[in-house]
Amino acid sequence: ASKAEGQNRLHIFEPGLLLVRRLRSQLVDDLRAAIKGQGLVLHYQPVVELATGRIEGVEALIRWNHPSRGLIMPDEFIPLAEEAGLISELGFWVLNTAVGQLRDWISDSVVDSRFSVRINISPTDLQSLQFIEDVRAVLTETGVRPEQVVLELTEMAIVKGNDLDRYSLGGLRGLGVGIEIDDFGTGYSSISYLRKLPVDRVKVDRSLIVGLGTDPTQPALVAAVLQLVRACGLEAVWEGVETAVQADHLRNLGCLSAQGYFFSRPLPAEQIPALVAAQSSAGNTRQ
Ligand code: C2E
Ligand code: MG
Ligand code: MG
Ligand code: MG
C-alpha cells in the first residue's frame, strides 16, 4: 500500500515541481532584468539616538518592484539572487545607489557629516576582493567620507568565513568604512571572535528585545549583552524596537542607538529629508 501511495505521490508532485522550476527560472530572468533596469528600489529606515531622538543615519533595505507581482521583500529574493549567481551584481547596485543617495543628501544639506548610511553585505561580497575595489571606487567617485558608510555583515557570513574573508574585512576596514555585525545573538555568536574581528559595532537581533516589557527577566539579559559587547570594545545598536516600552527600557539600560517600527518603518528616499528635519529640531529641544 505504501509503495502505491509513494508512486501516487510522485505523480502528483512531478507536475508541481516542473511548475515551480519554470516559475523560478522566470523569476530569475525577471530579477536579472530588474537589476539591469529600474526594478529595484532601496527604502531607508532611520537609526535613532535613544537619548535625543536624533536620526544618526539610515539602513538601506532593498525591495523589488516586480511588474506583475508588486513589491517583493528581500527575504524572498536575496536567496534567489544568491543561487542564481546574481548577488554580486545586486550588491554592486545597492552599494552605488545607497552611497549615491548619501552624497545627494549631503550636497542638499539634508544630513550632516555625522549621518551614516548602513548597507547590508552578502557573504559573497565579503568573499570578493573586487568588492573592496568597488567600495573604494564609489567613495572616490562620490567624495563621501568613509566613516559615513557602514557595512552590515551577518554573523553567519563572518563565522563561516575563511581566511580570505578575514582579509577582506581587514581590507574594507582599511578603507575607513564602518563594519557592523548584523543579527547579533541569533546563534552563531562566539565571544572569542567578537574580540578578534575588525568590527566597530554589533546590531543586536530583534529576538533579544521582543520580551522587553512583558518578560521580567529580559532587561537583565539585555544588560548582560550590552556589557559583553562593550567588554569586547564594541558598541551595540538595537533593532526591531516596536513599542515605547521597549525604547524606554533600552534607554534606561544605557543603550545608545536603536531602530524599529516604533521610530519609523523603512521609507522611500523621498520621505527621509522631512523626517530628518523634524527629528533634528526635536533632538535640539529635547533634554
Ligand atoms: P536586516 O538587515 O536584519 O534588516 C532588518 C529587517 O527588519 C528589515 O526587513 C526591516 O524592515 C525589519 N524591521 C525593521 N524594524 C522592525 C521592527 O520594528 N519589527 C520587525 N518585525 N521588523 C523590523 P527587510 O527589509 O524585509 O529585510 C530583511 C533582510 O534582508 C535584512 O535583514 C537583510 O538581511 C536582507 N537585506 C535587505 N536589504 C538588503 C540588501 O540590500 N542586500 C543584502 N545582501 N541583503 C539585504
Ligand atoms: Mg541589516
Ligand atoms: Mg538584522
Ligand atoms: Mg536579518
Side-chain angles (χ1 to χ4, degrees):
S2 72
K3 195 182 172 199
E5 263 171 36
Q7 282 170 351
N8 230 348
R9 223 178 273 143
L10 256 187
H11 282 294
I12 293 165
F13 272 101
E14 226 161 5
L17 273 177
L18 276 176
L19 184 66
V20 166
R21 231 172 268 155
R22 212 173 299 143
L23 279 175
R24 188 183 171 283
S25 85
Q26 178 63 54
L27 262 185
V28 168
D29 289 346
D30 293 352
L31 184 55
R32 193 175 289 117
I35 296 170
K36 293 216 168 75
Q38 306 289 313
L40 300 177
V41 64
L42 292 180
H43 284 186
Y44 296 89
Q45 186 178 36
V47 177
V48 170
E49 183 178 62
L50 279 164
T52 61
R54 181 178 67 89
I55 298 176
E56 311 179 332
V58 288
E59 176 176 9
L61 293 160
I62 197 170
R63 279 91 182 86
W64 176 11
N65 214 337
H66 190 280
S68 59
R69 290 163 205 263
L71 212 61
I72 307 182
M73 301 304 276
D75 285 336
E76 292 179 63
F77 68 89
I78 294 285
L80 187 74
E82 293 267 8
E83 287 165 30
L86 295 171
I87 195 70
S88 300
E89 266 180 85
L90 185 145
F92 183 77
W93 180 86
V94 171
L95 173 71
N96 284 280
T97 305
V99 179
Q101 181 63 72
L102 176 60
R103 187 240 359 250
D104 290 351
W105 283 331
I106 292 169
S107 57
D108 294 346
S109 301
V110 168
V111 301
D112 63 21
S113 60
R114 291 179 300 171
F115 188 93
S116 61
V117 164
R118 291 179 155 80
I119 299 172
N120 292 285
I121 299 305
S122 75
T124 309
D125 290 330
L126 187 60
Q127 284 158 13
S128 138
L129 292 178
Q130 179 61 44
F131 185 73
I132 302 179
E133 292 314 310
D134 294 344
V135 174
R136 190 198 310 277
V138 76
L139 291 173
T140 307
E141 281 161 24
T142 58
V144 164
R145 292 167 55 240
E147 307 84 73
Q148 291 186 261
V149 174
V150 178
L151 305 178
E152 295 192 0
L153 300 145
T154 61
E155 289 184 66
M156 193 158 59
I158 300 173
V159 176
K160 287 196 170 166
N162 52 32
D163 287 343
L164 178 61
D165 296 352
R166 306 252 148 94
Y167 176 71
S168 305
L169 260 188
L172 288 169
R173 193 66 169 338
L175 297 177
V177 298
I179 312 264
E180 188 166 282
I181 301 175
D182 203 353
D183 300 346
F184 180 74
T186 48
Y188 293 88
S189 325
S190 123
I191 297 162
S192 61
Y193 88 76
L194 250 196
R195 301 187 58 169
K196 282 185 218 139
L197 286 175
V199 301
D200 310 289
R201 262 172 307 243
V202 303
K203 185 178 273 184
V204 183
D205 192 72
R206 59 183 289 270
S207 58
L208 271 92
I209 64 155
V210 281
L212 277 181
T214 49
D215 178 350
T217 67
Q218 207 66 21
L221 183 70
V222 168
V225 171
L226 183 63
Q227 208 176 359
L228 169 71
V229 168
R230 287 187 177 156
C232 293
L234 307 175
E235 190 46 65
V237 180
W238 302 79
E239 104 178 312
V241 178
E242 294 183 348
T243 67
V245 172
Q246 287 173 328
D248 288 342
H249 269 291
L250 291 173
R251 194 183 299 110
N252 294 337
L253 287 164
C255 301
L256 298 183
S257 311
Q259 180 181 350
Y261 297 163
F262 172 67
F263 304 106
S264 171
R265 298 225 161 217
L267 299 170
E270 309 82 72
Q271 295 183 35
I272 295 298
L275 202 66
V276 169
Q279 285 310 115
S280 65
S281 52
N284 288 338
T285 50
R286 227 182 279 168
Q287 294 179 0

